[in-house]
Amino acid sequence: MSTVTTIERFILDHQPRHARGELTNLLYDIALATKIIAHKTNRAGLIDILGEAGQMNVQGESQQKLDLYAHTIVRQICDHTGRLCVMLSEEEEDLIPIPARYKKGSYVLVFDPLDGSSNIDVNVSIGTIFGIYHCVDEALRGRVEDVLQPARELVAAGYVLYGASTMLVYSTGDGVHGFTLNPEYGEFLLSHLRLRLPEPPAYYSVNTAYYNRWSPGVQRYIDWLQGKEPDSPNVSARYIGSLVADFHRNLLRGGVFCYPAENNRRDGKLRLIYEAGPLAFLAEQAGGYATDGRQSILDIVPTHPHQRVAFYVGNRSLVERLEAFVRQEAGTAQPHG
Ligand code: AFP
């Protein structure tokens, strides 16, 4: 029988020698929270049978929207363990402080508890995204400065995909590793060691319904992806509309995911700190690249916790080509090979 590696074992084996175990335990807390979320999302279709959101279910408990439920689970599992100084969630406008009655830790957790939640009702894959930073000043309790760090400073990042099976994919800066939840044991087991974006890439992913809202440079880039230029790549289109699922597919098959800025939405739709940043970190760890069109997502210093950003991520060859089209549009084009 081949060796089975649980996520707990893997995280422990891969922590640096000087580690105090705080990050290891935080990653394990996140894995635990997402196992609980996975259990709940798997029962999502039963809500119609067992009770609508806002009503009492058969156990007499009030039903919660799943994204709020996921937010609460992560928050409750992580707020009292002494590993965090502050949290930021897509589901809460304000920073989430660690209550004064609990010990404060030295890490910062940013997360989107359930991304793609409009897909829940139609049984399409959804996901949780997370990023972990060191707090800026260990002597202080969490402040906004702690979450306004560029993604290049991430200590770890990852996502959990609730799909045909549940997968946790993460990196602490030493490659990207994937674990598949075995529902019989309730354990994440190592299934994908050192993921790399394959070449040549297979897919491009973008919502072409918004074509008329994009700048001419972005339109020309999408035309290029669609095979309209002599040097177009040979890529096929796939778009789920669920960021984690689109990113995951492209990570395994190679490709580029695009969510451009639009005429009426100059900063795009996706969030920098807890969506684009962590996925950009993973992409670079897998040999890829992420940009807003002008600079690496990893170098953007956020000015607001819920800031949005245009987002292109995937194989470096495809993503850098977008930057070339944008430069060309700005009239500062470099000759492209
Ligand atoms: P929802 O959470 O509203 O479903 O949005 C999902 C999402 O934030 C991200 O997961 C998708 O990549 C993107 O939006 C899809 O947006 P469009 O529907 O505008 O293409």
Side-chain angles (χ1 to χ4, degrees):
M1 199 178 102
S2 59
T3 319
V4 172
T5 307
T6 64
I7 194 165
E8 186 180 19
R9 177 69 194 270
F10 187 88
I11 295 172
L12 271 173
D13 286 352
H14 287 77
Q15 70 179 7
R17 225 177 265 165
H18 59 266
R20 291 166 296 169
E22 203 175 333
L23 177 63
T24 300
N25 286 326
L26 174 55
L27 287 167
Y28 199 63
D29 293 342
I30 294 168
L32 172 63
T34 59
K35 278 195 270 187
I36 297 171
I37 297 167
H39 178 75
K40 191 81 168 183
T41 53
N42 283 342
R43 292 163 48 88
L46 294 170
I47 281 189
D48 285 343
I49 303 167
L50 302 178
E52 296 289 337
Q55 292 181 349
M56 294 293 185
N57 67 14
V58 285
Q59 283 93 28
E61 300 157 339
S62 169
Q63 296 277 354
Q64 250 185 336
K65 279 186 68 193
L66 268 179
D67 37 14
L68 275 179
Y69 174 84
H71 163 83
T72 308
I73 291 293
V74 176
R75 183 182 173 149
Q76 284 178 350
I77 286 188
C78 296
D79 73 353
H80 61 280
T81 54
R83 314 194 221 285
L84 293 176
C85 67
V86 71
M87 289 183 262
L88 173 70
S89 163
E90 207 250 341
E91 288 297 326
E92 201 159 321
E93 186 57 32
D94 297 327
L95 297 190
I96 306 167
I98 301 305
R101 61 184 182 282
Y102 301 130
K103 188 171 148 289
K104 180 197 88 73
S106 46
Y107 290 100
V108 178
L109 176 64
V110 296
F111 63 105
D112 184 351
L114 212 53
D115 185 68
S117 48
S118 64
N119 284 319
I120 295 170
D121 290 346
V122 288
N123 206 357
V124 167
S125 300
I126 46 182
T128 298
I129 307 172
F130 64 90
I132 298 170
Y133 291 98
H134 278 296
C135 62
V136 174
D137 187 338
E138 287 212 17
L140 301 173
R141 292 196 88 83
R143 301 166 304 152
V144 72
E145 287 85 335
D146 291 314
V147 302
L148 298 182
Q149 301 190 56
R152 203 170 284 289
E153 298 297 325
L154 280 163
V155 174
Y159 62 81
V160 178
L161 173 67
Y162 310 103
S165 52
T166 299
M167 272 197 74
L168 188 153
V169 176
Y170 87 99
S171 174
T172 52
D174 178 28
V176 179
H177 312 291
F179 299 79
T180 302
L181 183 65
N182 180 324
E184 283 162 42
Y185 315 150
E187 277 288 0
F188 281 110
L189 304 179
L190 179 64
S191 51
H192 297 72
L193 183 67
R194 290 201 184 284
L195 281 163
R196 303 289 295 174
L197 279 150
E199 290 283 354
Y203 298 123
Y204 76 94
S205 319
V206 66
N207 190 340
T208 46
Y210 306 145
Y211 187 89
N212 291 334
R213 303 181 198 164
W214 300 331
S215 71
V218 172
Q219 288 178 334
R220 277 201 291 276
Y221 174 63
I222 303 299
D223 291 345
W224 177 76
L225 287 172
Q226 289 177 335
K228 296 177 187 164
E229 299 293 334
D231 65 340
S232 285
N234 185 17
V235 285
S236 194
R238 292 283 189 283
Y239 189 73
I240 297 169
S242 192
L243 178 57
V244 173
D246 278 311
F247 180 87
H248 182 72
R249 182 205 51 245
N250 289 357
L251 178 61
L252 294 189
R253 297 282 177 262
V256 59
F257 171 90
C258 316
Y259 207 109
E262 298 165 11
N263 294 339
N264 54 348
R265 217 160 34 171
R266 312 289 319 172
D267 297 321
K269 175 183 184 185
L270 301 178
R271 310 295 183 145
L272 173 59
I273 296 182
Y274 41 76
E275 292 181 331
L279 298 186
F281 181 85
L282 290 172
E284 289 226 352
Q285 282 294 315
Y289 178 54
T291 181
D292 67 349
R294 290 183 173 76
Q295 60 177 324
S296 167
I297 292 288
L298 298 187
D299 290 330
I300 302 176
V301 182
T303 53
H304 185 273
H306 298 284
Q307 185 171 336
R308 296 177 195 270
V309 72
F311 188 42
Y312 304 83
V313 63
N315 288 62
R316 186 170 277 277
S317 54
L318 296 181
V319 180
E320 283 182 345
R321 197 60 196 265
L322 174 272
E323 288 183 332
F325 277 99
V326 169
R327 276 199 304 270
Q328 226 165 41
E329 182 188 349
T332 56
Q334 315 282 323
H336 199 278

